[in-house]
Structure formats: structure tokens, C-alpha cells
Amino acid sequence: MRYIFDRKNETGYRNKIKGKKYKDLGLIQIEIRKDGTDKRAYVSTNVKVTPDQFAMSDGVLKIKNHDNAKSLSGKIRDRFNEVAAFISSDKCNNLSDVKYWDKDEVQSLSLIRFIEQEAGKENLGKSSLGNFNSFMARLNGFGKIKTFADLTYSNIADFDTYLRKYITSQPTLYKKHAMLKHYIIIAIKRDMLIKNPYDNFEVKKGKHKEPTFLTPEELQLIINYIPVNEKLERVKDLFLFQCFTGMAYVDMQAFSKSDVVIINEEEAIKSSRIKTDESYVLYFLPIPKEIAEKYNYNLPTISNQKYNDYLDLLAAGAGINKNVTSHCGRHSILS
């Protein structure tokens, strides 16, 4: 081990220009070299000084010409001793382990805070943000994974058991684990973690149930059905709009006249998915066009839950014995 100053020559000190007054600061690092090889590792002391403030005498470092010279010299020597202690410990088996010398300090950091900060950088869409908030509610509710030190195989297994108390869908369970794993991988890339607890813990992705859809005959029953009130009439219109466009509920609720464009002399709907931000182009068929004009291109708004509740009444009134939902409308596309 030895001290090394301005290894990247940020100050130009290594050019040895006589009479130059250095204003730029150079970083003091600790160089660790493996015996008998040219392999090296470097640990930062987080101290920067000018070339004339850095001095070495018989392997002893001394900061000079600095108002805090004594304090900085002590700080650097403490870092040197801490790294030396790590190298002599059972935690260091090879040179590549040196970069993890201070991870005990990182382990106490808040994992929850780290995840929230990273999510804030990702500019999540409305749907993704909803999934993230649901995940964080489960993670906080579990309560045993709060810091980086809590990311153990045992806690991941217990988290899985906890999730299964509330989640019966395997794909949904998989997504919760996948989100935690996503942020763990980010932490590993930033050298905040050495090992991924999911390396030895497998969660099966599972399969979603086959989507429910209406046959042409059943869809015709919906078209012919005369609703008993205005609310049910609005729900019928929204459902038919979905069926003849294939739009997701959230995208349909965001539809406006500005989304209607002319392509090859035909009217079409051109926009982007709210969930994925992927662009799409759809045929603007006569039935959805008639519905859009009925409401002056401002479709009725209703919560997804209430919409699905009313769809049950709509299906029953039309004589359809199926669990009709907004997803059902997307999968009942007819041209």
C-alpha cells in the first residue's frame, strides 16, 4: 500500500513545469498492489489538495501549506489504516474485494429512500406509478426490508410469504419481486451491494388467465340492448367504443378530437399508450365515430371500478352470461 497523488494528472503536476503556480486540486488516493504482479486497486481518501500542499517523506504523508493541514493529514492516515485493516481481514480474499472495503457503512443506508430516489429519476407514467406505489405499500407493510443490510435470502423468502397472503395471481406476485430486483440491480451497478439475494431465490413468472371476449352474436346483443337509464347508456357507449377500437380503458378516457387524423384519406385514431408510452394507430370505424360525435368528442368519465360494476348490469340486461369487464371490451374487437 502507498499514497498516490493526482493519478489522472488533473493538475498537470506530472508534467513538472517549473515555476508554475498550481490552482487545480488533485485527489489523494491509496494504491494497493498485489505482490508479484502489476495489478492494482485504488481507494479514494476524498481529499484534494494542490501539488505544493502534498508531501511525502520516507513513506509518511504530510499535508502542508494548508489551513487544515493537521486535520486533513489525520483524516488521510485514518483512511489508510481502515483500508489496511480490511485487507488483513477475512472479508478481503483478492484484490477485487478492495472496492467493497467500506460497504458496512453502506449497509446501514435506507433501502426505502434509495428506491424512492431512483423511481423519481425514472419519470414513471400514471400506470407504472400506480404499480410502484402498490409495491412500496407492500414493502413498507412487510417491514423487515428497510436497509441494504436487510437484503438477505431469508428476508426475500419471508417477503414472498408475506405477499402471498394478499396476492393470489402468480404474474402479479412476480411483478412485485421483479420491481424489488430491478432496484437491487441498480444498487449493485453502483457498487452499493456485492451480492443479489435473488441469485438463489427464484420466482416463477406464471401465466395470466385467458382473456374473456364476446362473440359477434353477444356483441350484437349489446348493440341491440336499450339501457334502462342514462348511466347504463353511457357505459354501453364506452364499452362499444372499446370493442370497435381495441383501446384500453385508460387510453379511451384520455381520447380527444385531436387524436383523430387522416391517413390515406381515411380517419384514424393516432396517439400513445399511457401505460407504455408506445404510439399506436387505430381505424376510426363508424360506430366509435358516432359515439364520439354524440358526446362532442368528450367521452363520459367514470372510474374503472364503477365502469366494471355497470358492465355487469349491462351484460345481464343484454342476456349475456359472462364476466364482462373493460378488458373484455378490448378483446372483442370487430371490424
Side-chain angles (χ1 to χ4, degrees):
M1 295 176 60
R2 67 167 184 163
Y3 295 109
I4 185 169
F5 175 72
D6 194 17
R7 180 167 61 94
K8 296 183 179 180
N9 199 28
E10 294 175 327
T11 66
Y13 169 69
R14 296 185 182 280
N15 297 335
K16 297 181 179 179
I17 302 175
K18 292 183 178 181
K20 179 177 180 180
K21 292 183 178 180
Y22 296 98
K23 294 182 180 180
D24 294 332
L25 300 177
L27 177 66
I28 300 175
Q29 294 175 292
I30 300 167
E31 182 184 78
I32 302 94
R33 184 166 63 179
K34 188 175 180 180
D35 288 340
T37 72
D38 289 330
K39 294 181 179 179
R40 294 173 173 84
Y42 295 92
V43 173
S44 174
T45 65
N46 296 324
V47 174
K48 285 188 173 184
V49 294
T50 58
D52 60 320
Q53 293 171 335
F54 175 81
M56 291 290 301
S57 178
D58 297 327
V60 178
L61 176 139
K62 184 179 180 180
I63 302 298
K64 60 181 183 178
N65 304 323
H66 194 288
D67 292 340
N68 296 318
K70 187 174 180 180
S71 174
L72 290 179
S73 296
K75 178 180 178 180
I76 294 169
R77 285 194 293 269
D78 287 344
R79 177 60 57 91
F80 189 96
N81 292 333
E82 289 169 352
V83 175
F86 173 82
I87 292 174
S88 301
S89 72
D90 295 336
K91 297 179 181 179
C92 185
N93 298 309
N94 52 64
L95 197 61
S96 62
D97 291 337
V98 173
K99 65 179 179 179
Y100 301 116
W101 76 274
D102 62 343
K103 289 303 176 282
D104 286 342
E105 181 181 339
V106 174
Q107 296 295 288
S108 64
L109 295 179
S110 171
L111 175 68
I112 302 297
R113 180 62 179 156
F114 172 78
I115 292 175
E116 289 173 342
Q117 290 176 337
E118 290 302 317
K121 299 174 185 177
E122 293 173 335
N123 194 25
L124 301 175
K126 185 176 181 180
S127 178
S128 297
L129 183 59
N131 291 331
F132 174 78
N133 290 335
S134 174
F135 159 73
M136 290 302 292
R138 294 300 183 198
L139 187 61
N140 283 311
F142 176 56
K144 291 175 64 177
I145 300 179
K146 296 180 179 180
T147 68
F148 283 93
D150 296 329
L151 288 172
T152 63
Y153 175 90
S154 177
N155 280 344
I156 294 296
D158 289 346
F159 183 50
D160 181 75
T161 301
Y162 171 81
L163 289 175
R164 291 179 186 276
K165 294 179 181 179
Y166 306 95
I167 301 173
T168 57
S169 167
Q170 186 62 32
T172 302
L173 179 74
Y174 176 83
K175 287 181 179 179
K176 293 290 187 290
H177 280 288
M179 191 164 292
L180 178 56
K181 187 176 180 180
H182 166 69
Y183 292 109
I184 287 175
I185 291 173
I186 292 177
I188 290 174
K189 289 180 178 179
R190 296 188 177 176
D191 288 334
M192 299 181 75
L193 276 176
I194 300 175
K195 188 176 181 181
N196 190 336
Y198 279 100
D199 288 346
N200 298 314
F201 188 89
E202 182 181 2
V203 184
K204 293 183 179 179
K205 192 170 184 178
K207 294 182 179 180
H208 289 284
K209 294 180 180 179
E210 290 296 323
T212 301
F213 61 91
L214 299 184
T215 64
E217 294 75 20
E218 290 169 332
L219 187 55
Q220 191 61 49
L221 289 175
I222 296 289
I223 295 173
N224 295 338
Y225 174 66
I226 300 176
V228 296
N229 56 50
E230 290 184 5
K231 285 185 177 180
L232 211 54
E233 180 181 353
R234 290 195 290 270
V235 168
K236 171 187 172 180
D237 290 337
L238 291 175
F239 185 71
L240 290 177
F241 192 92
Q242 275 194 285
C243 290
F244 285 90
T245 62
M247 294 176 71
Y249 164 80
V250 67
D251 296 325
M252 175 184 67
Q253 291 284 272
F255 168 79
S256 68
K257 191 172 184 178
S258 62
D259 296 330
V260 180
V261 297
I262 303 297
I263 299 178
N264 295 329
E265 300 183 355
E266 296 285 344
E267 284 189 308
I269 300 174
K270 184 178 181 181
S271 188
S272 298
R273 291 289 310 276
I274 291 179
K275 181 177 181 179
T276 62
D277 200 33
E278 293 181 359
S279 59
Y280 64 84
V281 177
L282 306 170
Y283 287 114
F284 197 29
L285 299 173
I287 288 181
K289 181 179 179 179
E290 181 181 336
I291 293 171
E293 291 175 344
K294 176 180 177 180
Y295 296 99
N296 195 27
Y297 287 85
N298 187 20
L299 298 178
T301 57
I302 183 174
S303 71
N304 198 7
Q305 182 177 349
K306 285 292 184 182
Y307 181 46
N308 286 323
D309 289 342
Y310 279 115
L311 284 177
D312 281 338
L313 297 177
L314 179 68
I320 299 172
N321 186 24
K322 280 184 178 178
N323 181 29
V324 178
T325 65
S326 60
H327 285 295
C328 177
R330 291 194 64 200
H331 296 290
S332 302
I333 306 171
L334 293 182
S335 58

